[in-house]
Amino acid sequence: MARTIPDPPLTVITEEISSAAEDGTGYLIVHIPASPVAPHMVDNRYFGRGDKTKYQMGDAEVVALRTRRRNTEADTLALLRKEMDEDPLRDVGAQSHLFLVAQPTAGRRDMCLSITGAQDWNLRLHTLITRVQENQKLRAALSDQGFSPDLSHAHQGHRRARGVALSSSSLKSDRIYASEGNWGDEHVIEVQLFEDAGLRLFMTRLSDGLHDRYAPEEDSEQVLFDAGAVILTRHMLELIRLVSEDVSYHGNWAVAVGASRLRGRRRYAGQSHFPSNHRSSADTYEESTGATLAELREAPGTVTRRLLGPLLRSLDSEALFAKALTDEG
């Protein structure tokens, strides 16, 4: 009912506890977290939770909730823009870049020290990433599609201000890019984890050059890998969930996705080598949303749709990723 009747839908967590009588009876605990996308409408009315029962909300309370939601989204977008402004490869190459920021909304400033402050933090973060990539339910949602670079390509460990990072080898500990003269040096990926459990993703191959085999390389057209955005967003949402559970944080998250160097570019159309005719009319993309731990566990596709839906629709490709943007099965 929570997923079908309220608008927007609610995701809840249920927990079964067997009775000591061992007669097949027991208890069902339903966890209903504070929703980051409240208020929710039922039968054209908005309801809130009181001490012992629900109540119909007045106009002033609905407006206040929406204002608080917009303020949270604005704060998250400010974090995203900071990451985009500090792009280490801002003046390098021509590829489009992908960004994701995630911040717990009610955590302690040192909530993630058990990971970032540990001597084996590098191993712990690598282990979490391995768990992301081995998650069979996630792989099924993505139809076993991969992308390069993926999170496993972030293999070089760095201590950072108030946190740690894993990155491609060409991105150094001071976040300065240094080409090593190898093919694919510009294909950079970085995952940062901060002491307050904030997470950041930076990836520079959201586009790449596509050219006719008989044409000179300088005539190549940059085409967008929308599949890369979907795959890495789903992977990062799973990483957020794992970090939440590792540090016993059960609160909400503010998440935002951004992209740069988009204007005039079309999506890559796979093996046909013919990109679509829908070119991006904007040079940058930004979208934010809130997510509960329940959604990260049970509805990551829905969260991904909130984050990437406008971008995919502008490229006329949302329907191609229906399985990754829903949570059925």
Side-chain angles (χ1 to χ4, degrees):
M1 291 176 63
R3 295 283 294 275
T4 57
I5 296 178
D7 182 22
L10 272 170
T11 301
V12 301
I13 300 173
T14 59
E15 180 180 357
E16 295 181 6
I17 299 178
S18 299
S19 169
E22 298 183 355
D23 58 357
T25 62
Y27 309 90
L28 183 67
I29 299 177
V30 181
H31 303 268
I32 307 175
S35 173
V37 294
H40 298 265
M41 180 182 289
V42 177
D43 295 332
N44 297 315
R45 294 176 293 175
Y46 292 104
F47 291 92
R49 283 186 277 185
D51 181 31
K52 296 181 179 179
T53 187
K54 64 183 181 183
Y55 65 94
Q56 185 173 340
M57 298 167 61
D59 291 344
E61 191 172 0
V62 171
V63 170
L65 273 174
R66 287 178 169 164
T67 300
R68 185 171 65 186
R69 176 174 158 186
R70 284 194 297 268
N71 290 342
T72 300
E73 290 173 350
D75 290 344
T76 312
L77 289 174
L79 285 176
L80 176 67
R81 289 167 189 150
K82 180 176 183 294
E83 292 300 312
M84 296 175 74
D85 289 344
E86 296 177 356
D87 183 342
L89 278 77
R90 187 183 186 91
D91 301 316
V92 177
Q95 294 176 174
S96 303
H97 296 174
L98 177 71
F99 306 81
L100 183 147
V101 302
Q103 200 66 30
T105 60
R108 304 186 318 273
R109 295 179 65 182
D110 62 351
M111 182 170 65
C112 208
L113 274 179
S114 60
I115 299 176
T116 62
Q119 288 296 311
D120 62 346
W121 70 265
N122 199 323
L123 175 61
R124 292 190 183 197
L125 190 48
H126 274 295
T127 300
L128 291 175
I129 288 174
T130 299
R131 289 175 61 191
V132 168
Q133 297 184 311
E134 292 179 350
N135 185 308
Q136 294 302 310
K137 185 177 179 181
L138 176 56
R139 293 183 65 169
L142 297 172
S143 301
D144 277 325
Q145 289 187 67
F147 184 75
S148 180
D150 63 18
L151 299 186
S152 68
H153 288 85
H155 57 82
Q156 191 76 38
H158 309 286
R159 284 283 179 185
R160 293 276 171 79
R162 295 185 180 274
V164 296
L166 296 174
S167 75
S168 308
S169 58
S170 56
L171 194 63
K172 306 307 178 182
S173 60
D174 54 4
R175 295 199 86 212
I176 299 297
Y177 170 72
S179 175
E180 299 174 339
N182 300 319
W183 181 88
D185 271 357
E186 191 188 336
H187 302 170
V188 171
I189 189 165
E190 176 193 47
V191 178
Q192 296 185 84
L193 176 62
F194 295 99
E195 293 179 356
D196 62 2
L199 281 151
R200 307 286 186 269
L201 170 72
F202 169 59
M203 194 279 293
T204 63
R205 193 175 171 254
L206 187 58
S207 74
D208 209 343
L210 181 70
H211 61 91
D212 187 280
R213 68 177 65 183
Y214 303 109
E217 190 170 343
E218 55 266 25
D219 292 341
S220 65
E221 176 189 2
Q222 288 285 324
V223 291
L224 296 167
F225 297 130
D226 47 358
V230 173
I231 291 168
L232 286 172
T233 298
R234 283 295 305 256
H235 283 185
M236 284 299 295
L237 291 176
E238 176 64 5
L239 183 59
I240 294 166
R241 181 188 73 82
L242 293 175
V243 169
S244 288
E245 295 180 348
D246 195 284
V247 301
S248 299
Y249 173 68
H250 301 289
N252 293 347
W253 288 82
V255 188
V257 168
S260 61
R261 300 176 177 175
L262 300 176
R263 182 173 286 117
R265 297 182 174 178
R266 303 179 286 181
R267 68 176 300 271
Y268 175 58
Q271 296 301 316
S272 68
H273 293 285
F274 291 101
S276 76
N277 292 319
H278 301 281
R279 296 182 181 271
S280 175
S281 59
D283 198 46
T284 59
Y285 174 79
E286 300 173 352
E287 189 58 80
S288 68
T289 190
T292 65
L293 181 57
E295 286 184 306
L296 294 174
R297 289 176 177 172
E298 305 295 337
T302 300
V303 179
T304 304
R305 183 187 291 273
R306 295 204 298 260
L307 289 168
L308 293 179
L311 175 64
L312 299 176
R313 288 190 290 274
S314 73
L315 299 173
D316 195 34
S317 64
E318 184 181 37
L320 300 176
F321 302 101
K323 192 173 181 181
L325 301 177
T326 56
D327 303 287
E328 297 176 1

